[in-house]
Amino acid sequence: MRHRTLRRVALVLSAGLALAALGLALLLRWPGPPPAAVAAGQGAAAFGQHCARCHEPAEVAPAFSDAASAATAIRLLESHGRAPLEQDLQIAAWLAARGD
Amino acid sequence: MTLSLRGVAWLGLYLAIALLPLLVTALSRLSAGSQGLPLVQGLGIAAGTLALALMAVQFALVARLPAASRPFGSDALMYFHRLMGLAAAAFLLAHPVLLIASGWPAASLDPLAGPAASRAAAASFWLALLLVLLSVARRRLRLRYEWWQASHSLLAAAVVLGGAFHGMAAGSGRLAAWLLAAYAVGFLALLLHYRLWRPLALRRRPWRLIENRDEGASTRTLVLEPAGHDGLSFEPGQFAWLATGGSPFGFGQHPVSFSSSAMQLQRLEFSVKALGDWSSVQVPALEPGQPVYVDGPYGAFTPDRHAADGWLLIAGGVGITPMRSMLLTLRDRRDPRPVLLVHAAHDPGRAIFREEIDRLCGDMNLSIVRVYEAAAAGEGVEQGYVTQELLRRHLPSGIARWQCFVCGPAPMMNAVERALLDLGVPAGRIQSERFDLV
């Protein structure tokens, strides 16, 4: 009897694993988030290093509050200060995430 | 923890090990900057990841880990190993098919071309298919069991290690690479336990053959005594792996049921019917004094784990050997519960242990129904096969509270299991054991 049960268990398990594989495949269709979003946690440190001497976060954050103004502000960041582009993007993500 | 809870826990662990690489691949692929993949390509990656995880964990099912085999019985684990091995093969086959369908070059299946990781992947793929082919078609290919055992172990190791190397280099992230490395290390640790640690332990507890008895009907009973240790305890109906080649390190180990009483720890008997190379040629040639290594006990086919008002034992052919152990043990324990033995054979001459079991009727509450294909019916003797009609005539009224044990050729076991269910025996009270897997 155990063998009949085992056949059923194996069938259900295999079907479940195939569904999990399909789930992963569907998940893989979506691109990952842009790198800056992941790096946002490092934005505070980058802000402190490159911006804090002259600016308060609350003072500049509104410029990053929506996508249109953020694009302008990021271009401004790129041409302002000495931070490399990667850190500019981290700063922008962190400021946008603050929601000031 | 009860045995059933332990069983559920082991099944959960199996599922977790199978799914973990899939989860880690998903997390790695969702990391910053990764590109979205076409559905077919994603399915190909998922199928390959699953196949590798399943193949790595398959070995744990048959590595003779006592904690894992106790809740299920080793024969059930071996059968599950076979079933999930086929599922792994299906996922493995889907892996390159889907990737090639999504635009990957078919040349990536060439084990002699491309970078090392790609060659490892292709070699692993073809070796896995060979492994499955040899297992499914061993008898048709007339491959000796010992050679199949050796090839199965070596091919499995090559497949898992090659697959892990491929997976680590395939670029699903650092975490996925570490996880696959851990799977490979786990596999190697199991291999070490199975091929080195366990045989070393067996070598410290050898047994000596003291008698090689001809029981008739191409069956021999090997009688063993411990050589320098205090013996082994087992439950009636269980089995052990016997190594008779003079070393516990060899590939030739065979599962054989204990046929002696479980109350005798220092005199083990195993009855072997001549069915293959080992049982037909090597077993009859074994001489008293030779060392034998006994790896066991294993199996859950035993009355000791069930509450019951009585015992129904249905044996066909050499399937009588675990029943003999049960009968002798119940007699030695002076168990007062009724036992009904239905013993099927071609004719009286091939019903091994017939006279010995007949004599047990005077020592315990035992009734016997003999069923012969080629003999006239008479008192306590039926002509034909073990059918539902035959069982209906002989089963006691309270059979739903008995435990039923069935052991014999696969067609007989299938028919008897169906018949017992139709006669109202709950499925949980029907125990059976099958070893004829490859």
Side-chain angles (χ1 to χ4, degrees):
Chain A
M1 288 317 302
R2 286 178 305 146
H3 289 74
R4 202 174 293 179
T5 309
L6 282 172
R7 274 200 295 273
R8 285 185 196 147
V9 170
L11 198 66
V12 170
L13 209 58
S14 303
L17 291 173
L19 278 177
L22 181 64
L24 174 66
L26 287 171
L27 215 58
L28 293 182
R29 291 179 72 194
W30 301 100
V38 170
Q42 299 161 8
F47 187 91
Q49 184 184 349
H50 298 290
C51 318
R53 193 177 297 166
C54 309
H55 304 285
E56 286 292 326
E59 169 202 338
V60 290
F64 297 84
S65 57
D66 60 81
S69 55
T72 312
I74 287 169
R75 276 200 297 279
L76 177 68
L77 269 181
E78 284 172 13
S79 58
H80 178 78
R82 291 179 189 163
L85 175 62
E86 187 186 354
Q87 283 187 312
D88 282 342
L89 294 172
Q90 288 171 358
I91 292 166
W94 177 65
L95 290 171
R98 282 174 58 91
D100 288 324
Chain B
M1 200 188 294
T2 65
L3 273 184
S4 338
L5 271 178
R6 257 189 264 173
V8 171
W10 279 108
L11 194 64
L13 183 64
Y14 179 88
L15 201 60
I17 293 174
L19 283 174
L20 192 58
L22 217 57
L23 190 68
V24 169
T25 303
L27 290 175
S28 306
R29 285 279 173 168
L30 286 175
S31 64
S34 63
Q35 300 293 312
L37 298 176
L39 183 66
V40 177
Q41 189 180 342
L43 264 177
I45 291 172
T49 308
L50 260 182
L52 182 57
L54 281 176
M55 284 187 297
V57 77
Q58 284 309 89
F59 186 41
L61 297 174
V62 290
R64 302 186 202 170
L65 302 170
S69 66
R70 190 170 158 74
F72 305 102
S74 296
D75 67 314
L77 283 186
M78 280 190 276
Y79 189 57
F80 192 62
H81 168 89
R82 179 185 168 90
L83 292 172
M84 294 311 293
L86 291 173
F91 285 121
L92 180 72
L93 206 59
H95 175 55
V97 169
L98 291 168
L99 286 181
I100 289 169
S102 70
W104 280 59
S108 52
L109 281 175
D110 183 352
L112 302 175
S118 168
R119 277 182 280 145
S124 176
F125 173 77
W126 292 115
L127 291 177
L129 293 191
L130 178 64
L131 180 151
V132 174
L133 176 77
L134 292 181
S135 298
V136 172
R138 179 183 81 84
R139 286 176 197 274
R140 258 171 285 169
L141 296 169
R142 296 183 182 180
L143 182 65
R144 283 179 56 171
Y145 181 75
E146 292 84 353
W147 284 105
W148 170 80
Q149 246 187 358
S151 69
H152 200 70
S153 301
L154 295 173
L155 285 171
V159 166
V160 171
L161 296 180
F165 177 49
H166 159 61
M168 288 164 70
S172 285
R174 193 177 294 176
L175 186 57
W178 276 110
L179 183 66
L180 291 179
Y183 275 40
V185 169
F187 180 87
L188 286 174
L190 273 179
L191 199 62
L192 213 62
H193 158 80
Y194 183 72
R195 295 246 59 104
L196 188 66
W197 176 250
R198 193 182 46 82
L200 275 174
L202 290 181
R203 202 171 67 164
R204 285 195 291 270
R205 296 176 67 84
W207 292 75
R208 188 183 304 110
L209 181 68
I210 56 172
E211 190 182 351
N212 184 349
R213 193 168 65 229
D214 186 359
E215 303 284 3
S218 312
T219 304
R220 300 194 76 89
T221 293
L222 304 176
V223 185
L224 311 178
E225 66 175 13
H229 56 90
D230 54 359
L232 175 155
S233 65
F234 65 95
E235 297 166 24
Q238 288 192 299
F239 72 96
W241 293 85
L242 298 189
T244 55
S247 164
F249 292 95
F251 282 101
Q253 297 195 1
H254 301 265
V256 186
S257 293
F258 293 92
S259 59
S260 50
S261 167
M263 305 302 283
Q264 287 190 327
L265 309 185
Q266 300 205 328
R267 182 189 163 95
L268 301 184
E269 294 189 11
F270 295 92
S271 300
V272 184
K273 186 174 175 68
L275 294 170
D277 301 317
W278 176 72
S279 50
S280 307
V281 180
Q282 294 179 40
V283 169
L286 291 173
E287 297 283 348
Q290 280 190 240
V292 176
Y293 296 94
V294 179
D295 184 10
Y298 294 100
F301 183 71
T302 170
D304 284 11
R305 299 186 188 181
H306 305 280
D309 287 356
W311 313 105
L312 170 64
L313 314 180
I314 303 178
V318 76
I320 191 67
T321 55
M323 310 303 192
R324 178 185 185 242
S325 175
M326 292 180 196
L327 289 169
L328 294 174
T329 306
L330 291 170
R331 180 204 58 184
D332 290 349
R333 289 175 182 166
R334 303 187 185 285
D335 193 312
R337 287 172 288 185
V339 183
L340 173 60
L341 170 70
V342 179
H343 185 186
H346 181 268
D347 56 71
R350 294 198 210 173
I352 53 172
F353 305 128
R354 184 166 51 97
E355 290 167 4
E356 180 190 17
I357 290 173
D358 281 343
R359 284 196 297 274
L360 289 176
C361 289
D363 300 332
M364 58 191 294
N365 189 358
L366 170 66
S367 313
I368 303 172
V369 177
R370 308 264 183 211
V371 185
Y372 299 125
E373 287 175 53
E379 192 183 339
V381 176
E382 297 267 2
Q383 198 270 323
Y385 298 96
V386 183
T387 60
Q388 185 176 333
E389 172 50 29
L390 182 146
L391 289 172
R392 192 195 309 277
R393 276 189 275 119
H394 291 283
L395 295 194
S397 54
I399 187 66
R401 293 188 304 278
W402 285 36
Q403 279 291 339
C404 308
F405 293 85
V406 186
C407 189
M412 178 202 136
M413 292 174 71
N414 294 338
V416 167
E417 284 177 357
R418 268 196 305 273
L420 288 172
L421 285 174
D422 291 345
L423 289 169
V425 178
R429 289 188 172 265
I430 305 173
Q431 318 300 330
S432 57
E433 187 164 64
R434 299 165 192 246
F435 280 105
D436 198 17
L437 298 179
V438 289

